[in-house]
């Protein structure tokens, strides 16, 4: 990183820390919840019991020899960390390893009757079809009457805040100061983001690396549809996970579910759905699902083919907390570390849209950091009540 000494990699072995609580409490809770949501057979229950013991008290055990992605995990550090406690390896690696082993336990990779059954699908669909989603989609009917700038801001902030977007509020906040349009926005490079899109020759290509499915994926799709329909971009590539990951991360199946939800909603929402459906059919929108998006590595280690694809985009938008950690590196950066320095490795212009749900943060000015710490100690880093839009050109 230019002019930026490397900070310590975050581990999960500090009792009382947020990473430790994820490994010691959240992961066991996920095992319990999914076990209750599916009528798994004895084989799955035995494997989940073994995973629960292993992730809390055991050590990293290598994948079986016939695992279809074993070659990937060999390259991603499996042998390096084998035999170590899950708490003593990099937190980013340990979290990713949990979800890979979880899918192994429930039979996702097969062969067998549970092959390809998404263990997180019930919770994704429940959110997608919730009354709150109905209300947000209905609010789109008022969007056409707004000014272009208001539409841009509402849909960008909808994508930023995900399931906290409250699009109805965004649309009803007439006369509000743009700086107040998303309460808790602690860094805002949105003008630079729009300038990059407007500068793209011939309405260029947007790459959007998605985060969560369900009610958080819908506003991402709405933003893409808006940009395509109004000629702000000519093409878009939506990058999703190749298999279920981090409970709610979006896969191709989740994109299809979200498009059907839009198309069937009626009103303006259906128009957005039809726009996206047509864009997929004519090639203006493409879905990517590279294996690297389920890797435990930072984006500084992008493989050559994915690096080349992202380099060709006029702008890459990186959504969500996990993607932010992978973009800047899952390290204990001082919050005032320049965002441009820690993203210098990225192969093209990049924008981060993120609601803060983990400790990693860069690019804050000192006054903002001081104000947050004075008001909330360090809870502001993980509470999900603050967000940022950061751009590196």
């Amino acid at each position: 990183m230019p002019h930026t000494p490397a900070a310590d990699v975050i581990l999960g072995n500090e009792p009382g820390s947020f990473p430790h609580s994820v490994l010691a409490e959240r992961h066991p809770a996920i095992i319990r919840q999914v076990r209750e949501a599916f009528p798994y057979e004895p084989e799955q229950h035995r494997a989940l019991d073994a995973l629960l013991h292993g992730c809390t008290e055991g050590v990293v055990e290598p994948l079986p020899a016939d695992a279809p992605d074993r070659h990937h995990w060999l390259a991603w550090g499996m042998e390096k960390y084998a035999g170590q406690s899950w708490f003593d390896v990099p937190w980013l690696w340990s979290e990713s390893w949990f979800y890979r082993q979880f899918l192994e336990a429930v039979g996702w990779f097969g062969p067998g009757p549970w092959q390809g059954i998404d263990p997180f699908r019930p919770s994704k669909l429940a959110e997608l079809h919730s009354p709150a989603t109905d209300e947000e989609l209905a609010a789109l009917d008022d969007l056409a009457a707004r000014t272009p700038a208001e539409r841009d801001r509402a849909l960008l902030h909808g994508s930023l805040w995900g399931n906290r977007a409250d699009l109805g509020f965004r649309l009803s906040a007439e006369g509000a100061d743009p700086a107040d349009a998303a309460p808790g926005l602690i860094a805002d490079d949105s003008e630079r983001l729009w300038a990059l899109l407007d500068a793209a020759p011939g309405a260029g290509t947007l790459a959007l690396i998605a985060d969560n499915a369900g009610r958080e994926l819908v506003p991402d799709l709405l933003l893409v549809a808006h940009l395509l329909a109004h000629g702000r971009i000519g093409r878009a590539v939506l990058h999703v996970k190749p298999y279920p990951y981090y409970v709610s991360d979006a896969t191709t199946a989740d994109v299809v579910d979200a498009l059907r939800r839009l198309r069937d909603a009626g009103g303006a929402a259906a128009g957005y759905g039809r726009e996206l459906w047509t864009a997929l059919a004519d090639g203006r929108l493409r879905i990517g699902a590279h294996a690297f998006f389920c890797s435990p590595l930072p984006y500084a280690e992008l493989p050559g083919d994915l690096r080349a694809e992202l380099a060709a985009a006029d702008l890459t938008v990186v959504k969500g907390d996990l993607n932010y950690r992978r973009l800047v590196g899952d390290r204990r950066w001082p919050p005032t570390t320049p965002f441009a320095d820690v993203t210098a490795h990225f192969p093209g212009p990049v924008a981060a849209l993120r609601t803060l749900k983990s400790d990693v943060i860069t690019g804050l000015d000192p006054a903002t950091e001081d104000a947050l710490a004075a008001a909330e100690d360090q809870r502001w880093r993980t509470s999900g009540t603050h967000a940022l839009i950061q751009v590196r050109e």
Side-chain angles (χ1 to χ4, degrees):
M1 307 290 182
H3 315 299
T4 305
D8 291 340
V9 172
I10 294 177
L11 307 179
N13 57 6
E14 181 183 340
S17 69
F18 183 71
H20 189 276
S21 71
V22 169
L23 297 177
E25 300 168 20
R26 182 183 295 178
H27 288 174
I30 289 169
I31 292 174
R32 290 193 298 272
Q33 291 163 6
V34 173
R35 193 196 294 262
E36 293 170 0
F38 281 88
Y40 286 128
E41 300 175 64
E43 180 181 355
Q44 281 75 39
H45 284 290
R46 286 192 294 269
L48 289 170
D49 287 340
L51 176 59
L52 179 60
H53 172 78
C55 72
T56 55
E57 302 178 46
V59 297
V60 173
E61 300 282 356
L63 292 174
D66 61 350
D69 55 349
R70 182 180 170 86
H71 63 293
H72 286 312
W73 283 94
L74 286 171
W76 295 340
M78 182 175 69
E79 289 188 328
K80 176 181 179 181
Y81 297 124
Q84 297 187 49
S85 165
W86 292 53
F87 293 84
D88 292 335
V89 304
W91 182 43
L92 178 63
W93 198 96
S94 188
E95 275 195 292
S96 297
W97 184 246
F98 170 79
Y99 288 102
R100 174 56 185 84
Q101 293 289 58
F102 187 91
L103 292 181
E104 187 77 25
V106 299
W108 163 270
F109 292 99
W114 294 96
Q115 185 172 11
I117 302 299
D118 183 349
F120 310 123
R121 183 170 171 79
S123 59
K124 292 176 181 178
L125 289 178
E127 184 180 89
L128 186 62
H129 294 278
S130 68
T133 303
D134 291 334
E135 294 172 7
E136 290 178 2
L137 294 181
L140 291 169
D141 292 339
D142 295 330
L143 196 58
R146 302 297 171 138
T147 68
E150 287 175 327
R151 291 197 297 268
D152 286 348
R153 186 166 61 247
L155 290 171
L156 179 64
H157 286 167
S159 179
L160 169 66
W161 286 97
N163 64 8
R164 296 189 65 250
D166 190 3
L167 185 58
F169 170 78
R170 306 289 171 227
L171 298 180
S172 64
E174 293 191 57
D177 185 331
D180 297 328
L185 191 58
I186 60 175
D188 185 5
D189 291 341
S190 54
E191 293 304 318
R192 294 172 65 193
L193 184 154
W194 294 118
L196 279 170
L197 290 176
D198 291 339
T205 298
L206 172 73
L208 193 153
I209 302 177
D211 185 33
N212 291 333
R215 195 174 154 210
E216 294 193 39
L217 180 61
V218 167
D220 294 343
L221 293 171
L222 294 174
L223 178 62
V224 170
H226 171 73
L227 296 175
L228 285 169
H230 293 275
R232 302 294 289 267
I233 57 175
R235 294 162 303 281
V237 182
L238 180 66
H239 293 280
V240 297
K241 302 299 190 296
Y243 50 75
Y245 193 63
Y246 276 70
V247 179
S248 56
D249 282 22
T251 66
T252 302
D254 299 319
V255 175
V256 174
D257 286 338
L259 290 178
R260 286 177 175 151
R261 179 72 170 89
L262 285 171
R263 199 178 61 170
D264 296 342
Y272 284 97
R274 288 191 295 270
E275 168 67 27
L276 292 162
W277 203 279
T278 301
L280 277 167
D282 64 26
R284 288 177 297 133
L285 174 60
R286 182 171 65 81
I287 299 173
H290 197 287
F292 184 78
F293 289 119
C294 282
S295 81
L297 304 179
Y299 288 154
E301 300 183 43
L302 285 168
D305 58 341
L306 185 56
R307 174 173 288 274
E309 180 174 354
L310 296 176
D314 294 279
L315 175 65
T316 297
V317 172
V318 172
K319 277 296 311 294
D321 199 77
L322 173 61
N323 281 321
Y324 188 88
R325 291 164 56 195
R326 298 184 70 187
L327 176 65
V328 305
D330 204 33
R331 295 174 176 270
R332 298 188 183 281
W333 301 113
T336 55
T337 303
F339 179 74
D341 284 3
V342 294
T343 57
H345 61 83
F346 203 80
V350 62
L353 274 60
R354 176 215 183 186
T355 303
L356 277 63
K357 299 176 183 176
S358 66
D359 292 312
V360 178
I361 183 69
T362 68
L364 293 191
D365 64 68
T368 299
E369 182 193 0
D370 290 345
L372 289 166
E376 304 177 36
D377 194 21
Q378 295 303 310
R379 294 187 301 277
W380 62 272
R381 294 174 178 258
T382 59
S383 64
T385 58
H386 298 282
L388 56 80
I389 302 172
Q390 293 176 320
V391 174
R392 195 226 70 206
E393 300 174 29

